[in-house]
Coordinates of all heavy atoms in Angstrom, one line a residue:
A272 N -40.3 -58.2 -21.9 CA -39.5 -57.0 -21.6 C -39.0 -56.9 -20.2 O -37.9 -56.4 -20.0 CB -40.4 -55.8 -21.9
E273 N -39.8 -57.4 -19.3 CA -39.3 -57.3 -17.9 C -38.2 -58.3 -17.7 O -37.2 -58.0 -17.0 CB -40.5 -57.7 -16.9 CG -40.1 -57.7 -15.5 CD -41.3 -58.0 -14.6 OE1 -42.4 -58.1 -15.0 OE2 -41.0 -58.3 -13.3
E274 N -38.2 -59.5 -18.3 CA -37.1 -60.4 -18.1 C -35.9 -60.0 -18.8 O -34.8 -60.2 -18.3 CB -37.6 -61.8 -18.6 CG -38.6 -62.5 -17.7 CD -38.7 -64.0 -17.9 OE1 -38.1 -64.5 -18.9 OE2 -39.4 -64.6 -17.1
F275 N -36.0 -59.3 -19.9 CA -34.8 -58.8 -20.6 C -34.1 -57.8 -19.7 O -32.9 -57.7 -19.6 CB -35.2 -58.2 -22.0 CG -34.1 -57.6 -22.7 CD1 -33.2 -58.4 -23.4 CD2 -33.8 -56.2 -22.7 CE1 -32.1 -57.8 -24.1 CE2 -32.8 -55.6 -23.4 CZ -31.9 -56.4 -24.1
Y276 N -34.9 -56.9 -19.1 CA -34.3 -55.8 -18.3 C -33.7 -56.4 -17.0 O -32.6 -56.0 -16.6 CB -35.4 -54.8 -17.9 CG -35.0 -53.7 -17.0 CD1 -34.0 -52.8 -17.4 CD2 -35.7 -53.5 -15.8 CE1 -33.6 -51.8 -16.5 CE2 -35.3 -52.4 -15.0 CZ -34.3 -51.6 -15.3 OH -33.9 -50.6 -14.5
T277 N -34.4 -57.3 -16.3 CA -33.9 -57.8 -15.0 C -32.9 -58.9 -15.1 O -32.0 -59.0 -14.3 CB -35.1 -58.2 -14.1 OG1 -35.8 -59.3 -14.8 CG2 -36.0 -57.1 -13.9
R278 N -33.1 -59.8 -16.1 CA -32.2 -61.0 -16.2 C -31.1 -60.9 -17.2 O -30.1 -61.6 -17.0 CB -33.1 -62.2 -16.5 CG -34.2 -62.5 -15.5 CD -35.0 -63.7 -15.8 NE -34.2 -64.9 -15.9 CZ -33.9 -65.6 -14.8 NH1 -34.4 -65.3 -13.6 NH2 -33.2 -66.7 -14.9
Q279 N -31.2 -60.0 -18.2 CA -30.2 -59.9 -19.2 C -29.4 -58.7 -19.1 O -28.1 -58.7 -19.1 CB -30.8 -60.0 -20.6 CG -29.8 -59.8 -21.8 CD -28.7 -60.8 -21.9 OE1 -28.8 -61.9 -21.2 NE2 -27.7 -60.6 -22.7
V280 N -30.0 -57.5 -18.9 CA -29.3 -56.3 -18.7 C -28.7 -56.1 -17.3 O -27.5 -56.0 -17.2 CB -30.2 -55.1 -19.1 CG1 -29.4 -53.7 -18.9 CG2 -30.8 -55.2 -20.5
L281 N -29.6 -56.2 -16.3 CA -29.1 -56.0 -14.9 C -28.6 -57.3 -14.3 O -27.7 -57.2 -13.5 CB -30.3 -55.5 -14.1 CG -31.0 -54.2 -14.5 CD1 -32.1 -53.8 -13.5 CD2 -30.0 -53.1 -14.6
Q282 N -29.1 -58.4 -14.7 CA -28.8 -59.7 -14.1 C -28.9 -59.7 -12.6 O -28.2 -60.2 -11.9 CB -27.3 -60.1 -14.5 CG -27.1 -60.2 -16.0 CD -25.7 -60.6 -16.4 OE1 -25.4 -61.8 -16.1 NE2 -24.9 -59.8 -16.9
V283 N -30.0 -59.0 -12.2 CA -30.2 -58.8 -10.8 C -30.6 -60.1 -10.1 O -30.5 -60.2 -8.8 CB -31.3 -57.7 -10.6 CG1 -32.7 -58.3 -11.0 CG2 -31.3 -57.2 -9.2
H284 N -31.0 -61.1 -10.8 CA -31.4 -62.4 -10.2 C -30.2 -63.1 -9.6 O -30.3 -64.1 -8.9 CB -32.1 -63.3 -11.2 CG -31.3 -63.7 -12.4 ND1 -30.9 -62.8 -13.4 CD2 -30.7 -64.9 -12.7 CE1 -30.1 -63.4 -14.3 NE2 -30.0 -64.7 -13.9
L285 N -29.0 -62.7 -10.0 CA -27.8 -63.3 -9.6 C -27.3 -62.7 -8.2 O -26.3 -63.2 -7.7 CB -26.7 -63.2 -10.6 CG -27.0 -63.9 -12.0 CD1 -25.8 -63.6 -12.9 CD2 -27.2 -65.4 -11.8
S286 N -28.0 -61.7 -7.7 CA -27.6 -61.1 -6.5 C -28.7 -61.2 -5.5 O -29.8 -60.8 -5.8 CB -27.2 -59.6 -6.7 OG -27.0 -58.9 -5.5
P287 N -28.5 -61.6 -4.3 CA -29.5 -61.7 -3.3 C -29.9 -60.4 -2.6 O -30.9 -60.2 -2.0 CB -29.0 -62.7 -2.2 CG -27.5 -62.5 -2.3 CD -27.2 -62.3 -3.8
G288 N -29.0 -59.4 -2.8 CA -29.3 -58.0 -2.2 C -28.0 -57.2 -2.0 O -26.9 -57.6 -2.5
L289 N -28.1 -56.2 -1.3 CA -26.9 -55.3 -1.1 C -25.8 -55.9 -0.3 O -24.6 -55.5 -0.4 CB -27.4 -54.0 -0.3 CG -28.0 -52.9 -1.2 CD1 -28.6 -51.8 -0.3 CD2 -27.0 -52.3 -2.1
H290 N -26.1 -57.0 0.5 CA -25.1 -57.6 1.3 C -24.2 -58.5 0.4 O -23.1 -58.9 0.8 CB -25.7 -58.4 2.4 CG -26.6 -59.5 1.9 ND1 -27.9 -59.3 1.5 CD2 -26.4 -60.9 1.8 CE1 -28.4 -60.4 1.1 NE2 -27.6 -61.4 1.3
Q291 N -24.6 -58.8 -0.8 CA -23.8 -59.6 -1.7 C -24.1 -59.2 -3.2 O -25.0 -59.7 -3.8 CB -24.2 -61.1 -1.5 CG -23.3 -62.1 -2.3 CD -23.6 -63.5 -2.0 OE1 -24.3 -63.8 -1.0 NE2 -23.2 -64.4 -2.8
L292 N -23.3 -58.3 -3.7 CA -23.6 -57.6 -5.0 C -23.2 -58.5 -6.1 O -23.8 -58.4 -7.2 CB -22.8 -56.3 -5.1 CG -23.3 -55.2 -4.1 CD1 -22.4 -54.0 -4.2 CD2 -24.7 -54.9 -4.3
G293 N -22.2 -59.4 -6.0 CA -21.8 -60.3 -7.1 C -20.7 -59.6 -7.9 O -20.2 -58.6 -7.6
S294 N -20.5 -60.2 -9.1 CA -19.4 -59.8 -10.0 C -19.9 -58.6 -10.8 O -21.1 -58.3 -10.9 CB -19.0 -60.9 -10.9 OG -18.6 -62.0 -10.2
V295 N -18.9 -57.9 -11.4 CA -19.2 -56.8 -12.4 C -19.6 -57.4 -13.7 O -18.9 -58.3 -14.2 CB -17.9 -55.9 -12.5 CG1 -18.2 -54.9 -13.6 CG2 -17.6 -55.3 -11.2
S296 N -20.6 -56.8 -14.3 CA -21.1 -57.2 -15.6 C -20.1 -56.6 -16.7 O -20.1 -55.4 -16.8 CB -22.5 -56.8 -15.9 OG -22.9 -56.9 -17.2
W297 N -19.4 -57.4 -17.4 CA -18.4 -56.8 -18.3 C -19.1 -56.1 -19.5 O -18.6 -55.1 -20.0 CB -17.5 -57.9 -18.9 CG -18.2 -58.9 -19.8 CD1 -18.8 -60.1 -19.4 CD2 -18.4 -58.8 -21.2 NE1 -19.3 -60.8 -20.5 CE2 -19.1 -60.0 -21.6 CE3 -18.1 -57.9 -22.1 CZ2 -19.5 -60.3 -22.9 CZ3 -18.5 -58.1 -23.5 CH2 -19.1 -59.3 -23.8
Q298 N -20.3 -56.5 -19.9 CA -21.0 -55.8 -20.9 C -21.4 -54.3 -20.5 O -21.1 -53.4 -21.2 CB -22.3 -56.5 -21.3 CG -22.1 -57.9 -21.8 CD -22.4 -58.9 -20.8 OE1 -22.0 -58.7 -19.6 NE2 -23.0 -60.0 -21.2
L299 N -21.9 -54.2 -19.3 CA -22.2 -52.9 -18.7 C -21.0 -52.1 -18.5 O -21.0 -50.8 -18.7 CB -23.0 -53.0 -17.5 CG -24.5 -53.5 -17.6 CD1 -25.2 -53.6 -16.3 CD2 -25.3 -52.7 -18.6
A300 N -19.9 -52.7 -18.1 CA -18.6 -52.0 -17.8 C -18.1 -51.4 -19.1 O -17.6 -50.3 -19.1 CB -17.6 -53.0 -17.2
L301 N -18.2 -52.1 -20.2 CA -17.8 -51.6 -21.5 C -18.7 -50.4 -22.0 O -18.3 -49.4 -22.5 CB -17.8 -52.7 -22.6 CG -16.6 -53.7 -22.5 CD1 -16.8 -54.8 -23.5 CD2 -15.3 -53.1 -22.5
C302 N -20.0 -50.6 -21.7 CA -21.0 -49.5 -22.1 C -20.7 -48.3 -21.3 O -20.7 -47.2 -21.9 CB -22.4 -50.0 -21.8 SG -23.0 -51.2 -23.0
L303 N -20.4 -48.4 -20.0 CA -20.1 -47.2 -19.2 C -18.8 -46.6 -19.6 O -18.6 -45.4 -19.6 CB -20.1 -47.6 -17.7 CG -20.0 -46.4 -16.8 CD1 -21.1 -45.5 -16.9 CD2 -19.8 -46.9 -15.3
L304 N -17.8 -47.4 -20.0 CA -16.5 -46.9 -20.4 C -16.7 -46.0 -21.7 O -16.1 -45.0 -21.8 CB -15.6 -48.0 -20.7 CG -14.1 -47.6 -21.2 CD1 -13.4 -46.8 -20.1 CD2 -13.3 -48.9 -21.6
F305 N -17.6 -46.5 -22.6 CA -17.9 -45.7 -23.8 C -18.5 -44.4 -23.4 O -18.2 -43.3 -24.0 CB -18.7 -46.5 -24.7 CG -19.1 -45.8 -26.0 CD1 -18.1 -45.7 -27.0 CD2 -20.3 -45.3 -26.2 CE1 -18.4 -45.0 -28.2 CE2 -20.6 -44.6 -27.4 CZ -19.7 -44.5 -28.4
I306 N -19.5 -44.4 -22.5 CA -20.2 -43.2 -22.0 C -19.2 -42.2 -21.5 O -19.2 -41.0 -21.8 CB -21.3 -43.5 -21.0 CG1 -22.4 -44.4 -21.6 CG2 -21.8 -42.3 -20.4 CD1 -23.2 -43.6 -22.7
F307 N -18.3 -42.6 -20.6 CA -17.3 -41.7 -20.0 C -16.3 -41.2 -21.0 O -15.8 -40.1 -20.8 CB -16.7 -42.4 -18.8 CG -17.4 -42.2 -17.5 CD1 -17.8 -43.3 -16.8 CD2 -17.6 -41.0 -17.0 CE1 -18.5 -43.2 -15.6 CE2 -18.3 -40.8 -15.8 CZ -18.7 -41.9 -15.1
T308 N -16.0 -42.0 -22.0 CA -15.1 -41.5 -23.1 C -15.8 -40.3 -23.8 O -15.1 -39.3 -24.1 CB -14.8 -42.7 -24.1 OG1 -14.2 -43.8 -23.4 CG2 -13.9 -42.2 -25.1
I309 N -17.1 -40.5 -24.1 CA -17.8 -39.3 -24.7 C -17.8 -38.1 -23.8 O -17.5 -37.0 -24.2 CB -19.2 -39.7 -25.1 CG1 -19.2 -40.9 -26.1 CG2 -20.0 -38.5 -25.6 CD1 -20.6 -41.4 -26.4
V310 N -18.0 -38.4 -22.5 CA -18.0 -37.3 -21.6 C -16.7 -36.6 -21.5 O -16.6 -35.3 -21.5 CB -18.4 -37.8 -20.2 CG1 -18.2 -36.7 -19.1 CG2 -19.9 -38.3 -20.2

Side-chain angles (χ1 to χ4, degrees):
E273 181 180 349
E274 291 201 348
F275 178 79
Y276 178 58
T277 58
R278 300 180 63 84
Q279 175 64 9
V280 180
L281 303 181
Q282 302 183 69
V283 73
H284 64 288
L285 299 176
S286 170
L289 278 171
H290 62 283
Q291 189 175 340
L292 295 177
S294 304
V295 173
S296 169
W297 66 268
Q298 299 100 321
L299 292 181
L301 289 178
C302 288
L303 187 62
L304 181 62
F305 181 75
I306 293 293
F307 271 119
T308 302
I309 296 175
V310 170

